[in-house]
Amino acid sequence: MIDLKQSVQYVKGVGPNNVLLLQKLGINTLEDLITFFPRNYEDRSKPKKIYELVDGEEALIDVVCASKVSEVRFARNKVMLKMLVRDDTGDCVITWFNQTYVKNQFKIGERYQFYGKISIKYGRVEMTKPVFDKEGLNKNTGKIIPIYPLTYKLSQNKIRSIIENGLKLISDKLEETIPEYILKQYNLMDLNTAIKKIHFPDSFETYNKARTRFVFEELLTVQLALSSLKSRYDKEVDGIKFDKNVKMSDVINSLPFKLTKAQLRVLEDIDNDMENIKPMNRLLQGDVGSGKTIVSIIAAYKAAKSGYQTAIMAPTAILAEQHMQEFSKVLEQFGIRCELLLGGMRVKKRREVLEDLKNGKIDVLIGTHALLVEDVEFSKLGLVVTDEQHRFGVRQRANIVGKGMNPDVLVMTATPIPRTLALILYGDLDISIIDELPPNRKKIETYPVTKNMETRVQEFIRKNVLEGRQAYVVCPLVEENEEFENYKSVIELAEKYQTTIFPEFRVEYLHGKMKQKEKDEIMQEFKDGKIQILVSTTVIEVGVNVPNANIMVVENAEHFGLAQLHQLRGRVGRGEYQSYCILIYEGNSKTTKERMKIMKETDNGFIVAEKDLELRGSGEFFGTRQHGLPEFKIANLFEDVGTLKEVQKLTLKIEETDPRLEKEENEKLHKLVEEKFSNRISI
Ligand code: ADP
Ligand code: MG
């Protein structure tokens, strides 16, 4: 059996220098090498006749050499080399620059294949800087050529030949990873063929079959991993049956507003889950401001009145404090005690809280990841609510859940995720959606503008701040960076604003590299109205509520995903004031313009998310990186929805017949999941 974990240095053609270059591409082992999939392919397999050539295309021609290579010297040491070639439909001039070695490569009257970019001016056909082969030698032409992603100093030719050598080393000795019955049923290509054909396909049809196989495998592995998590919750454990006689309607009737239909529907799901013996594992999705918090308050009421404690985990101290206010406002009148537990608390106070928690005197404990600490002990933890889940990984969720006896879990997120993606990212959870905002919300006006409007944007900020409002300005970078010289950075912009543009106001900045305590202080001061303009990275994305802030400016908006822009926009429009989202973008690309238009015209987060996925592909989809799941190496959730559906059907079937993957026929699947996810879960 071939050792896939062996260092790539044993592959022919990989010298010490190349080892380092390969490392930069994340290629350390033989396995990394052969799964370094091409980004694209060039079809150099079908020659065209010269008269068929089109200006601007890249093409292959099969021609006879009709002249010597002539040299034209110009500028400093620059040489242009030209040669005439011909087929039975016309002539073509081949041009190179400085590549003087081509001079002795050709013989008049002999046949060659050239592949390169065509330009046609005044009927004169030219091909510049082509690759070529002598007739019968198919090294650079005559086939479909893989193009690899960014390879720094390694040329495409070099990496191609290294991969070719890697494949030779493997020579069909890979062990199949998908069970035979699945390969058959879904007509999938076997591993050894697929790994060769994905790099060097002989036709696009073979390429598609090879790719589909890997997509299938990748998606199946993730789905099975999620399903094993889910089946653990579903079947094996008994949870808590909360009291049927505790009526959520008692709190609902005490509220100063009427819940929306969507909130009521979601609460019904939750109520059912809570009364069921099976532990709840539910994802609550809802746009910013859709009123998720009140839903969790009502669930906590049900838990408390049934004799159980609730833990609420927020991603930041500010949010935890915000929740604390809202929870006590509603629940205290029912004799339910809420307490806050934060990282930097005074020792004495902290000890008191922990003591009361352990003795069951506290019903609802609200905090940050401080709740995860070992000495935090509940007496009867029955409900866990995590807010804005993408800040917490799956593992942390498991950690807090472990503090209770199979408590119910409610995960809340304001990241609207298209259904297909939700199934992948949260396949282990049931999903409820609040798809409606409370009535009488003022629509946030969104204006995409180009950079030359900067001064007007600043005047607009000034006018609003003078009226007592506050503004956020978001930049993509923390500090100036040569590599992205066109991008605005938080520190420089804040300084410029403070010293030259808005000296009469207080401008502060906020970014992720700052200490949590500093961030909290700045945020608190902004909340208290002591800071007028807050320049920040996307750290302010999560649930912060400053009703007095009514302007969100995003610099280099073209840099951000739509879903992310939508989240940023949700920071304003939280009070009584008309709010604005100003997207300053650069560049003329059609996609950028289209995306800006979507932002202007759509205020529904789910539609924004769908469009985002459509325009960018899932690889870049905002957030996948943060969800504690691996990024996909080859699958694109938008393009591969069809395969995903097949995989989901198959997963369901396996879930029914062999949930722990113990049957012999599923041994390979067990291995797949173990290998990829052993550090995250165990079956
Ligand atoms: P989310 O967490 O979903 O972004 P919140 O729960 O913070 O939204 O709710 C935003 C605001 O709307 C809160 O001030 C909340 O009290 C209020 N709210 C929630 N539901 C309703 C409703 N049905 N009608 C009116 N206001 C509501
Ligand atoms: Mg919230």
Side-chain angles (χ1 to χ4, degrees), residues 257-260 263 286-294 322-323 326 387-388 414 438-439 441 545 574:
F257 47 76
K258 256 179 76 186
L259 292 185
T260 61
Q263 285 171 315
D287 226 337
V288 269
S290 61
K292 294 183 292 297
T293 313
I294 189 67
Q322 207 169 283
H323 280 335
E326 291 175 58
D387 192 7
E388 309 289 353
R441 281 282 155 83
N545 198 11
R574 302 197 144 222

Side-chain angles (χ1 to χ4, degrees), residues 669-682:
L669 294 179
H670 193 140
K671 228 166 125 186
L672 261 183
V673 178
E674 281 275 89
E675 255 169 38
K676 298 249 164 66
F677 292 91
S678 56
N679 56 339
R680 293 162 210 271
I681 55 169
S682 62

Side-chain angles (χ1 to χ4, degrees), residues 425-561:
L425 296 174
Y426 300 110
D428 56 328
L429 304 173
D430 297 315
I431 299 177
S432 295
I433 297 175
I434 306 185
D435 52 6
E436 174 185 4
L437 292 183
N440 310 325
R441 281 282 155 83
K442 278 212 180 76
K443 192 171 155 11
I444 300 165
E445 299 206 20
T446 301
Y447 299 109
V449 302
T450 47
K451 229 179 130 193
N452 51 21
M453 302 272 280
E454 249 169 11
T455 327
R456 284 182 63 185
V457 172
Q458 288 158 5
E459 285 322 305
F460 188 69
I461 295 176
R462 189 183 318 279
K463 175 172 161 282
N464 278 273
V465 173
L466 286 174
E467 284 168 15
R469 302 289 79 74
Q470 289 159 285
Y472 297 99
V473 181
V474 170
C475 304
L477 297 181
V478 175
E479 282 172 279
E480 264 176 15
N481 183 329
E482 284 173 25
E483 232 183 292
F484 306 100
E485 51 180 347
N486 290 330
Y487 284 178
K488 284 271 165 43
S489 69
V490 167
I491 293 174
E492 279 80 17
L493 192 72
E495 194 187 288
K496 184 172 132 195
Y497 271 15
Q498 184 66 86
T499 52
T500 58
I501 297 171
F502 299 114
E504 70 271 43
F505 305 138
R506 185 163 161 219
V507 181
E508 288 288 349
Y509 65 78
L510 200 67
H511 59 75
K513 290 183 186 161
M514 286 160 63
K515 292 213 184 71
Q516 190 61 49
K517 193 160 159 276
E518 286 178 273
K519 281 194 280 189
D520 288 352
E521 276 168 21
I522 296 279
M523 213 49 235
Q524 194 58 50
E525 283 189 278
F526 188 67
K527 247 183 134 162
D528 297 342
K530 291 178 190 151
I531 295 168
Q532 285 76 47
I533 300 174
L534 185 62
V535 183
S536 162
T537 53
T538 54
V539 286
I540 41 124
E541 212 178 272
V542 170
V544 175
N545 198 11
V546 183
N548 190 51
N550 76 329
I551 299 180
M552 167 60 69
V553 178
V554 183
E555 298 274 357
N556 298 108
E558 76 280 359
H559 164 86
F560 295 95

